[in-house]
Structure formats: C-alpha cells, structure tokens
C-alpha cells in the first residue's frame, strides 16, 4: 500500500473514532447536530454519517461553497463577506449559528478556509476557521494547516470533529 494511502486510511479511522465520540456525547445529552461546510465540501458530513446510528443525532448539512450562499442560506452578514471575504473566523461563527437555526439542531458545526492550490482573498493556503455553536455559546478555532489540498481538507475535518468533541468534554460535570 502506498504511503499516502496508509496516511489517508489512518485519517479516516481517526475521524471515524472522533465522530463516534461526538455522536455518543450528543446521544448522552439528547442533542442534535447540523453542519455548514465550505472548504471541506461535504467531507465533514460524510465522516459523521459513516457512524452507524448517526440519524439519531445528525440533522443534516449545508455545503455553501459559493460565497453568496453563506449569506442567503446561512445568514452570514453580507457586509462582513464584502469586507473580509468568506475566510474569516466571524464567518465560521455565523455559519455555525446559522445552520444550527436553519436545521433546528442543538449544535451547529462549520468549516471555512483555503485548501489551495492558490491563496484566496489575501488568505494563505492552509488558513482554516472552524466554529461550533450550541446552547452555551459559540467556540471558534483557527488552525493553520499544511500540505496539499486533500490533506488540508481532511485535516480541517479532523480539527472540526476535535473541536466538537472538546466542547463536550469541557461541558462535562
């Protein structure tokens, strides 16, 4: 098996375990999850629905790849998008909050960033903004990832799942 295939398989397995933990935490509190994706283009939702029984906690997702959809569907402030573009921590925050309300979920999880191969709106490749919105407020994380396009996109999925799982760990009594 090629080295890249082994690395990808390891990432898929790690994401599966993280998604299992997220679903278990959601079930434990009777919560649900909705996802808003841009740079991950559906990979985050796919990782979540790979877990058997995901339908008990996963409401659905919106892949708002086009900037104008972030405003018209998810409710991201158009002025914010005009000034900063779609790759900004507040955009991730508003995406998470928007999908949470749109799909009637307890939690919203969002991804936006630049996977490459070229910079976007002055943001370097590897810039990623993630957010999880829930009853206790919204957390934003902005990791800087490296590697090729596929590596960055998969890394963003892992980082988003880790943000969600960590959110539940912080809430635990």
């Amino acid at each position: 098996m090629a080295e890249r295939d082994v690395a990808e398989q390891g990432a898929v397995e790690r994401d599966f375990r993280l998604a299992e933990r997220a679903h278990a935490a959601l079930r434990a509190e009777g919560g649900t999850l909705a996802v808003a994706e841009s740079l991950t283009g559906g990979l985050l939702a796919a990782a979540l629905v790979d877990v058997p029984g995901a339908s008990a906690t996963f409401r659905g997702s919106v892949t708002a790849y086009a900037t104008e959809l972030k405003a018209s569907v998810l409710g991201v402030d158009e002025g914010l998008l005009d000034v900063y573009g779609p790759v900004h921590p507040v955009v991730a925050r508003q995406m998470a909050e928007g999908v949470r309300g749109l799909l009637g979920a307890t939690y919203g999880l969002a991804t936006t960033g630049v996977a490459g191969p070229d910079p976007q709106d002055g943001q370097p490749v590897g810039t990623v903004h993630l957010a999880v919105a829930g009853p206790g407020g919204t957390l934003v994380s902005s990791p800087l990832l490296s590697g090729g396009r596929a590596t960055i996109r998969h890394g963003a999925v892992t980082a988003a799942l880790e943000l969600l799982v960590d959110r539940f760990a912080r809430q635990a009594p």
Side-chain angles (χ1 to χ4, degrees), residues 57-160:
T57 56
F58 186 65
R59 298 275 302 155
S61 65
V62 173
T63 301
Y65 210 66
T67 299
E68 67 270 11
L69 293 178
K70 291 172 183 66
S72 65
V73 175
L74 296 171
V76 174
D77 181 84
E78 288 182 28
L80 176 71
L81 292 167
D82 288 343
V83 172
Y84 295 104
V87 182
H88 191 273
V90 179
V91 171
R93 171 185 296 272
Q94 291 183 5
M95 288 173 65
E97 292 167 351
V99 79
R100 178 181 178 224
L102 180 68
L103 299 184
T106 313
Y107 295 90
L109 184 60
T111 68
T112 188
V114 183
D118 300 313
Q120 178 183 338
D121 298 322
Q123 300 294 324
V125 173
T127 301
V128 174
H129 301 291
L130 312 165
V132 59
T138 304
L139 294 175
V140 177
S141 174
S142 298
L144 183 60
L145 303 178
S146 61
R149 182 173 173 77
T151 301
I152 291 168
R153 291 177 68 226
H154 285 283
V157 169
T158 301

